[in-house]
């Protein structure tokens, strides 16, 4: 008589639970082998190269410009100017990716096609320096005076400061049409009004760019996706710090690939916008 709870395995009986566990372990091992082979197939000289044999499904995101927005995080001097306080650790990656120019290309293309455009800035006021506990990057940003302003209603000394927009972006941001949200205080837009502003514009698709990749840009991606937006991250219109603790851009790129609805280059994003406009 068959014992339907057992399987024969080398003369020993396995419960269904044991058999299932064994099967899952084998599947996981096969997947790990496949992914290892894929990783080896990547360009050994470029850790950011797309995998030769992707292990994840390709994107099928298509833009509808009537419900799409360009969102740019922290397009500010402290990140993107050679005079900014983080350029020493951000600059090499931003230069390699052509980030400053690529962000401008996205701004220009969005304006040319009358796409809703929003900027989510990062500001710190004197009261923010009284926080009782901080993460590692918060400590560093406060120590170097990153994004500092004299107050929420005080713009004295703002023009040209580290908290100000990069000069070349000002014509796009200060055109009276771009949404400038309230500041985010940590990394994601859960502490500002970006989601409200986008919803009020009927937006549910976001083309996401800006600074910095593994901090505010990634956090905005996660928060937007959690709130039901379809998000395409523009991988070369962002950049990150490269520190002894790790390569922030590589960390972000992996998560963009795993989580975003699409990961495009600037050239691909422009082509998607142009295709949607026809």
């Amino acid at each position: 008589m068959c014992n339907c709870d057992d399987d024969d395995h080398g003369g020993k009986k396995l419960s269904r639970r044991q058999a299932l566990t064994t099967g899952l372990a084998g599947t996981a091992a096969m997947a790990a082998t496949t992914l290892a082979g894929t990783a080896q197939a990547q360009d050994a000289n470029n850790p950011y190269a797309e995998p030769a044999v992707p292990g994840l499904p390709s994107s099928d995101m298509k833009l509808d410009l009537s419900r799409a927005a360009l969102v740019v995080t922290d397009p500010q001097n402290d990140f993107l100017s050679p005079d900014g306080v983080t350029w020493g650790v951000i600059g090499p990656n931003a230069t390699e990716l052509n980030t400053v120019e690529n962000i401008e290309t996205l701004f220009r293309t969005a304006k040319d096609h009358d796409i809703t455009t929003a900027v989510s800035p990062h500001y710190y006021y004197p009261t923010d320096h009284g926080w009782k506990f901080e993460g590692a990057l918060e400590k560093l940003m406060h120590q170097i005076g990153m994004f500092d302003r004299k107050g929420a209603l005080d713009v004295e000394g703002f023009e040209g400061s580290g908290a100000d927009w990069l000069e070349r972006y000002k014509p796009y941001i200060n055109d009276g049409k771009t949404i400038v949200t309230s500041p985010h205080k940590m990394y994601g837009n859960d502490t500002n009004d970006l989601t409200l502003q986008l919803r009020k514009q009927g937006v549910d698709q976001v083309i996401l760019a800006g600074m910095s990749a593994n901090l505010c840009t990634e956090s905005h991606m996660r928060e937007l996706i959690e709130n039901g937006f379809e998000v395409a991250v523009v991988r070369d219109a962002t950049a990150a710090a490269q520190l002894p603790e790790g390569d922030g851009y590589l960390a972000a790129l992996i998560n963009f690939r795993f989580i975003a609805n699409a990961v495009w280059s600037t050239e691909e994003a422009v082509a998607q916008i142009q295709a949607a406009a026809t």
Side-chain angles (χ1 to χ4, degrees):
M1 183 175 178
C2 174
N3 182 346
C4 295
D5 287 330
D6 294 330
D7 292 313
D8 192 358
H9 186 74
K12 297 181 180 180
K13 296 292 185 179
L14 294 178
S15 69
R16 287 189 183 276
R17 184 181 299 276
Q18 290 170 322
L20 179 60
T21 302
T22 302
L24 289 174
T27 301
M30 290 176 62
T33 301
T34 300
L35 290 173
T38 299
Q40 290 172 359
Q42 286 185 274
D43 184 350
N45 296 318
N46 181 5
Y48 310 140
E50 294 300 304
V53 183
L56 296 170
S58 60
S59 169
D60 57 2
M61 182 174 174
K62 300 295 182 185
L63 288 177
D64 176 349
L65 300 189
S66 68
R67 57 189 182 89
L70 171 67
V71 173
V72 181
T73 58
D74 301 353
Q76 294 162 267
N77 286 325
D78 270 344
F79 268 139
L80 292 166
S81 168
D83 296 326
V85 295
T86 68
W87 189 254
V89 293
I90 294 279
N93 189 228
T95 300
E96 177 183 1
L97 297 170
N98 205 36
T99 300
V100 172
E101 292 77 10
N102 288 336
I103 291 173
E104 183 173 11
T105 296
L106 293 177
F107 272 132
R108 183 172 59 250
T109 304
K111 295 299 180 179
D112 287 346
H113 292 85
D114 198 27
I115 298 171
T116 298
T117 302
V119 169
S120 178
H122 206 146
Y123 300 135
Y124 286 130
Y125 309 133
T127 50
D128 298 324
H129 288 270
W131 292 352
K132 302 301 183 184
F133 57 92
E134 301 164 318
L137 261 295
E138 292 173 76
K139 290 178 183 177
L140 179 60
M141 286 190 286
H142 287 168
Q143 287 171 2
I144 62 180
M146 191 172 183
F147 301 137
D148 274 1
R149 286 180 52 182
K150 291 184 179 298
L153 303 178
D154 189 343
V155 293
E156 180 186 352
F158 177 74
E159 183 75 21
S161 71
D164 195 7
W165 316 128
L166 195 68
E167 192 68 29
R168 66 195 296 169
Y169 301 157
K170 289 183 179 181
Y172 309 105
I173 299 174
N174 297 336
D175 65 350
K177 296 180 180 179
T178 295
I179 298 164
V180 178
T181 71
S182 55
H184 54 270
K185 291 296 180 177
M186 293 292 294
Y187 307 114
N189 51 292
D190 48 330
T191 57
N192 73 5
D193 63 338
L194 176 65
T195 296
L196 171 67
Q197 296 285 356
L198 295 179
R199 295 295 191 202
K200 288 291 190 179
Q201 295 293 330
V203 166
D204 61 15
Q205 288 186 321
V206 170
I207 304 163
L208 182 63
M211 298 299 289
S212 74
N214 64 317
L215 299 171
C216 300
T217 309
E218 181 179 327
S219 292
H220 277 64
M221 174 197 70
R222 290 174 179 270
E223 181 70 12
L224 288 165
I225 287 175
E226 294 281 2
N227 277 281
F229 290 87
E230 192 176 14
V231 180
V233 179
V234 186
R235 64 177 180 268
D236 56 1
T238 186
Q242 295 168 315
L243 298 168
E245 286 79 3
D247 183 341
Y249 181 72
L250 182 58
L253 185 58
I254 292 168
N255 288 331
F256 294 160
R257 290 168 176 162
F258 275 46
I259 300 171
N261 301 102
V263 182
W264 295 330
S265 66
T266 299
E267 183 179 2
E268 289 168 336
V270 169
Q272 288 281 349
I273 291 169
Q274 292 173 340
T278 58

